[in-house]
Amino acid sequence: MRILVIGGGAREHALCRSFSLDPEVTEVHCAPGNAGIAEVATVHTVDALDGDAVAALAQDPRVAADLVVVGPEAPLVAGVADVLRERGVPVFGPSAEAARLEGSKAFAKDVMAGAAVPTARSYVCTTPDEIDTALDAFGPPYVVKDDGLAAGKGVVVTEDVEAARAHALGCVAPGADGEAGRVVIEEFLDGPEVSLFAVTDGTTVVPLQPAQDFKRALDADEGPNTGGMGAYSPLPWADPKLVDEIQQTVLQPTVDELARRGTPFSGLLYAGLALTSRGVRVIEFNARFGDPETQAVLARLKTPLAGLLHAAATGRLADFPPLRWSEDAAVTVVVAAHNYPGTPRTGDVIEGLDEVAAQDAPGAYVLHAGTKRDEQGQVVSAGGRVLSVTATGETLTTARDRAYTALTRLHLPGSHHRTDIASKAAEN
Ligand code: AMP
Ligand code: GLY
């Protein structure tokens, strides 16, 4: 099988790595990729938001993709998977209509209401009066979410009513296009968060293993929200029946509801959940693999990935054999650029990659996110999240130690990372 992956982060590096280790895969292509992906795949340039351009690349004889896997949300929301489907190219990723589950928080709430899926109570507001009524109705802590895509940064959770109000007013203020925005204000959910991914063909739903993400920039969950600073899997503290419960109460009803509406969801359904004192609640849905959870989850998946995603893309998941998982634990730690998640500094030289690749830090490997090669051929930073240092081990403690040992071999001036990824879970 020949595969084309769209995207260029550590999630896509993890996908390309899995494909490169898959005996059924003959060639891995990626666009736009990054410096690390270029070592396991042939990289191409493409405007990832342009469906015609992506389809042309997929059908270019040099690529001749049997399967296209779309990594990030923006191309999905822009309808890239629709164009590929129209051209008869098997694609793993939902249509633009179904991707609204991620692209619009108000749409996601509507689908959940239709499917009786448990989530935070919420109001969708467009005016200052509606905003004040909603903030009063819930009280602190306030949860205020921009309706549209915001790369993990559109959500403010705060005790400060003025800060909540200011963010909400910013969300509804008319944008450059003159259109007023919408904001979702919702009930605060307490309890630990879990990310659960499911592969689906629009009918059959195959959950992967759960993971936990660390969204705040600093140790002890301090600092601003980010795209994610680290992850681990499995969750030793979770009830073994948790995945079945989420499958029955969240994943299958959501997939069924979208099919019922005539917009089936085929691809990766990502449920971000809070395990509250009153039960499981959906915090958000995403329409693609999570980053950095994918780095940890795929490190443990023994079933070859290409066949699984191809079965989903071609509507044949019902016949797919049960997934096989490694007993090992996996931990991934994100190395972020100076000033991430603000305006990250780029162009810093990354040192130590060869040492980790030479297994100077056994059991660990480095997945690249924002990296590229400069004119001298050196690998330099080119984005906010720069590397995902990933390791496996018999226990979370071993996997953690290996990831953090590998991290000591790496050097990126001004970078920062969390030192407490999986530390509490490893004590279980
Ligand atoms: P989202 O983009 O919806 O995933 O939100 C980003 C982060 O904000 C989540 O991972 C949570 O940590 C936090 N968050 C979102 N919604 C809620 C909520 N209703 N209650 C508490 N925390 C929330
Ligand atoms: N890790 C959070 C996300 O992928 O949205």
Side-chain angles (χ1 to χ4, degrees), residues 105 120 143 145 152 155 157 186-190 193 215 225 283-284:
K105 301 215 184 260
V143 182
K145 302 184 170 186
V155 177
V157 181
E186 69 178 33
E187 168 194 19
F188 177 79
L189 301 173
D190 60 358
E193 286 181 37
K215 288 229 166 74
N225 258 323
I283 295 178
E284 64 163 350

Side-chain angles (χ1 to χ4, degrees), residues 103 107 118 183 191 241 261-262 322 327 399 416:
F107 177 76
V183 66
K241 295 197 288 291
R261 291 177 180 220
E327 295 292 317
H416 61 100

Side-chain angles (χ1 to χ4, degrees), residues 11 213 215 227-228 270 284 286 288-293:
R11 164 185 53 208
D213 177 20
K215 288 229 166 74
Y270 162 147
E284 64 163 350
N286 292 317
R288 37 86 194 163
F289 281 102
D291 187 346
E293 297 96 312

Side-chain angles (χ1 to χ4, degrees), residues 192-197 209-215 221 228-238 242 275 291-300 328-334 389-393 395-397 399-400 403-404 418 420-428:
E193 286 181 37
V194 169
S195 301
L196 183 64
F197 303 160
Q209 289 268 306
Q212 195 169 43
D213 177 20
F214 293 74
K215 288 229 166 74
D221 294 330
M229 294 297 291
Y232 67 92
S233 176
L235 312 178
W237 48 268
L242 182 68
L275 310 187
D291 187 346
E293 297 96 312
T294 300
Q295 290 86 300
V297 171
L298 292 186
R300 303 186 49 236
D328 280 358
V331 172
T332 191
V333 182
V334 169
V389 183
T390 305
T392 54
T395 63
L396 272 179
T397 304
R400 244 191 126 244
Y404 280 108
R418 281 184 63 156
D420 62 347
I421 303 302
S423 63
K424 249 195 257 159
E427 285 164 16
N428 273 55

Side-chain angles (χ1 to χ4, degrees), residues 32-97:
N34 59 36
I37 291 174
E39 293 179 9
V40 292
T42 308
V43 298
H44 305 267
T45 47
V46 78
D47 175 357
L49 298 181
D50 179 344
D52 290 324
V54 172
L57 178 62
Q59 294 182 316
D60 183 312
R62 291 173 305 152
V63 177
D66 301 301
L67 175 68
V68 178
V69 178
V70 181
E73 60 275 19
L76 295 167
V77 171
V80 166
D82 303 74
V83 178
L84 289 162
R85 274 195 196 93
E86 279 160 24
R87 310 268 169 94
V89 180
V91 53
F92 184 76
S95 67
E97 268 299 311

Side-chain angles (χ1 to χ4, degrees), residues 22 27 38 63 94 100 104 120 130-131 200 206 255 257-258 271 284 304 337 344 368 381 392 401 407 415:
D22 184 334
E27 280 186 31
V63 177
R100 288 177 69 212
S104 165
E130 287 172 0
I131 288 169
T200 175
V206 177
V255 167
E257 172 69 11
L258 284 161
E284 64 163 350
H368 291 219
S381 60
T392 54
D401 288 349
L407 224 143
S415 67

